[in-house]
């Protein structure tokens, strides 16, 4: 597998150019094409000589992700299924702030990206973990999800305006279990020579990896932190999230408090509401206490059912009762209503379908 050109930093590329007998100024030209050009191949680098393009293509892959399926638009979100060079699949989801990508009422577009193929953490309601963990994505595979989507919508990008303004790291995989590759990729995407996405516009979501949350609080960038909570007591969390047996709510809250005190950024608690599991009103006081302690807002996300799993979305009455009870306790709580965009729960389904098709010989 050749390294992706997108994961090369300016000094690394300059070093490679020197070794290849090429002038240093080419690094700036190449990086500009890769990160700001929204192009889809070496041949489109108009000011790069063919001899250098040939050298580049034998040392680097232009993109480490290949689009195999795009779905959505009607319900305001678009899902992308990418094939990696070893034949594995991952997903990304584009979420416009406006009613539709073509509706033009807001320029904000958030991309939710994956960090692993599969997931080892086995949350009971989640499609991503259904077939276990396959491998970590390398930095290029994380970066190329962003550049790949921007290349698809290149008409909406100009030199001073990019399509993707916000990133959420909530796709397939536990991001903090791939800590080094993720941070490497985010530091590139945050750079002004790349996508220039502000650290405060990048939200890293974790199911609760305590040591990595503390490690994240030690690095210099102000990334936002979201916790996939999905239960406000150990009893409920233990039932659906095996990670809680290792890092209980008390240990998790201590770590998030450290993050909060060092980064002074707002924390989000993500809470997928699942019928009969965590939608009882008895969870509300515990959630309110946690939210107050961590100065966190709470996102309530009605569950999106996953084929092969028996969990269900609660009725609208139950959803509204839960959120109302939280608000009555002074919690900043929102109910997310978008269809097809229950990222934590639904992510991974496209990939499973693609793998089943391949197993059955369809294409
Ligand atoms: S919810 Fe997140 S951590 Fe849990 S299995 Fe799914 S991808 Fe992994």
């Amino acid at each position: 597998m050749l390294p992706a050109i997108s994961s090369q930093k300016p000094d690394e590329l300059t070093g490679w150019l020197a070794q290849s007998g090429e002038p240093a100024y080419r690094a700036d030209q190449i990086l500009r094409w890769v990160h700001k050009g929204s192009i889809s191949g070496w041949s489109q680098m108009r000011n790069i000589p063919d001899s250098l393009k040939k050298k580049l293509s034998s040392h680097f892959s232009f993109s480490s992700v290949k689009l195999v399926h795009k779905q959505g638009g009607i319900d305001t979100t678009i899902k992308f299924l990418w094939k990696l060079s070893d034949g594995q699949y991952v997903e990304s989801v584009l979420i416009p702030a406006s009613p539709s990508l073509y509706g033009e009422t807001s320029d904000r577009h958030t991309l939710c990206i994956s960090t692993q193929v599969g997931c080892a953490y086995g949350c009971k309601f989640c499609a991503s973990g259904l077939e276990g963990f396959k491998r970590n994505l390398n930095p290029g595979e994380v970066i190329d999800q962003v550049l790949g989507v921007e290349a698809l919508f290149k008409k909406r990008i100009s030199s001073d305006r990019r399509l993707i303004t916000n990133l959420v790291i909530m796709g397939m995989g536990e991001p903090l279990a791939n800590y080094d590759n993720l941070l490497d990729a985010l530091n590139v995407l945050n750079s002004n020579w790349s996508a220039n996405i502000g650290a405060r516009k990048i939200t890293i979501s974790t199911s609760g990896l305590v040591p990595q949350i503390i490690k994240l609080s030690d690095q210099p960038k102000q990334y936002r932190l979201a916790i996939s909570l999905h239960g406000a007591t150990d009893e409920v969390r233990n039932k659906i999230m095996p990670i809680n047996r290792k890092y209980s709510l008390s240990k998790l809250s201590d770590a998030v408090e450290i993050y909060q005190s060092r980064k002074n950024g707002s924390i989000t608690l993500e809470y997928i509401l699942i019928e009969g599991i965590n939608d009882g009103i008895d969870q509300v006081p515990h959630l309110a206490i946690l939210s107050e302690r961590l100065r966190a807002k709470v996102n309530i996300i009605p569950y999106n059912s996953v084929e092969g799993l028996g969990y269900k979305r609660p009725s609208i009455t139950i959803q509204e009762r839960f959120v109302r009870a939280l608000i009555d306790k002074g919690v900043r709580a929102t109910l997310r209503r978008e269809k097809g965009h229950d990222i934590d729960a639904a992510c991974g389904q496209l990939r499973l379908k693609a793998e089943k098709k391949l197993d059955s010989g369809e294409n």
Side-chain angles (χ1 to χ4, degrees):
M1 192 193 298
L2 295 175
I5 186 70
S6 60
S7 64
Q8 294 295 299
K9 293 167 194 91
D11 57 332
E12 292 167 346
L13 191 56
T14 307
W16 178 84
L17 285 163
Q19 276 175 15
S20 310
E22 299 285 348
Y25 72 86
R26 293 286 184 203
D28 186 48
Q29 291 176 326
I30 294 165
L31 292 175
R32 198 176 287 267
W33 279 118
V34 171
H35 293 272
K36 298 185 189 284
S38 298
I39 57 171
S40 46
W42 304 108
S43 62
Q44 291 168 280
M45 294 182 168
R46 290 192 302 276
N47 55 357
I48 304 295
D50 286 347
S51 56
L52 176 52
K53 285 182 203 163
K54 206 169 161 199
K55 285 185 200 170
L56 283 164
S57 63
S58 60
H59 281 84
F60 303 103
S61 66
F62 181 80
S63 178
S64 48
V65 302
K66 184 174 168 234
L67 184 73
V68 287
H69 185 67
K70 180 155 82 74
Q71 173 179 304
I74 306 160
D75 58 7
T76 81
T77 64
I78 302 178
K79 281 193 166 197
F80 305 89
L81 181 68
W82 309 103
K83 193 171 188 180
L84 308 177
S85 54
D86 61 353
Q88 304 282 356
Y89 295 93
V90 290
E91 297 175 21
S92 320
V93 185
L94 183 65
I95 311 141
S98 53
S100 105
L101 253 185
Y102 314 102
E104 306 284 0
T105 57
S106 166
D107 274 346
R108 185 158 62 89
H109 289 85
T110 301
L111 188 71
C112 175
I113 54 178
S114 296
T115 50
Q116 297 184 312
V117 181
C119 182
Y121 287 84
C123 302
K124 306 279 187 232
F125 50 84
C126 175
S128 295
L130 262 182
E131 298 198 349
F133 171 72
K134 296 272 171 66
R135 71 169 174 87
N136 282 330
L137 298 196
N138 60 43
E141 289 166 333
V142 175
I143 297 164
D144 284 340
Q145 292 172 63
V146 177
L147 301 182
V149 168
E150 293 210 315
L152 289 169
F153 294 96
K154 61 183 167 200
K155 287 197 182 122
R156 297 178 61 87
I157 299 173
S158 60
S159 54
D160 58 346
R161 186 166 157 267
R162 298 191 70 112
L163 174 75
I164 295 163
T165 53
N166 297 57
L167 278 184
V168 289
I169 324 301
M170 288 186 193
M172 191 187 300
E174 163 52 61
L176 293 187
N178 188 12
Y179 187 95
D180 291 341
N181 287 344
L182 172 67
L183 270 280
D184 202 4
L186 293 184
N187 288 340
V188 168
L189 291 164
N190 173 241
S191 304
N192 57 9
W193 51 268
S194 178
N196 203 16
I197 302 173
R200 287 191 170 275
K201 295 191 169 179
I202 298 177
T203 303
I204 302 173
S205 175
T206 176
S207 59
L209 269 61
V210 163
Q212 285 89 336
I213 292 172
I214 294 169
K215 195 171 166 191
L216 193 67
S217 72
D218 276 335
Q219 59 77 46
K221 306 264 179 176
Q222 300 280 330
Y223 297 124
R224 289 182 181 270
L225 183 66
I227 305 296
S228 294
L229 195 69
H230 316 324
T233 55
D234 283 326
E235 194 194 349
V236 168
R237 254 188 139 236
N238 283 344
K239 266 191 218 158
I240 51 175
M241 301 183 74
I243 184 76
N244 199 69
R245 294 188 184 272
K246 188 162 186 192
Y247 301 118
S248 64
L249 268 175
S250 145
K251 289 180 187 159
L252 176 58
S253 314
D254 289 348
V256 176
E257 207 164 44
I258 291 171
Y259 192 86
Q260 172 71 280
S261 66
R262 292 184 187 165
K263 297 294 171 197
N264 200 22
S266 78
I267 305 285
T268 305
L269 302 176
E270 306 282 344
Y271 195 104
I272 294 176
L273 211 55
I274 310 174
E275 187 183 85
I277 300 290
N278 62 2
D279 61 347
I281 219 74
D282 60 312
Q283 287 291 293
V284 169
H286 300 284
L287 192 46
I289 289 167
L290 262 180
S291 142
E292 192 185 346
R293 175 179 165 193
L294 303 173
R295 285 181 282 142
K297 60 180 178 181
V298 177
N299 260 351
I300 302 294
I301 309 150
Y303 183 64
N304 245 15
S305 55
V306 173
E307 224 177 290
L309 298 179
Y311 298 102
K312 283 192 195 140
R313 170 185 287 219
S315 68
I316 289 183
T317 313
I318 299 281
Q319 294 171 27
E320 287 178 348
R321 186 186 67 170
F322 196 89
V323 176
R324 174 55 50 204
L326 279 172
I327 292 171
D328 288 348
K329 288 202 169 291
V331 176
R332 282 180 298 146
T334 50
L335 178 62
R336 199 159 75 195
R337 275 263 170 71
E338 303 96 307
K339 292 177 212 154
H341 162 44
D342 297 354
I343 291 167
D344 275 355
C347 190
Q349 297 205 89
L350 274 184
R351 165 185 165 249
L352 289 179
K353 276 184 191 158
E355 284 181 346
K356 273 183 196 152
K357 259 190 185 179
L358 282 180
D359 288 349
S360 66
E362 292 175 50
N363 53 40

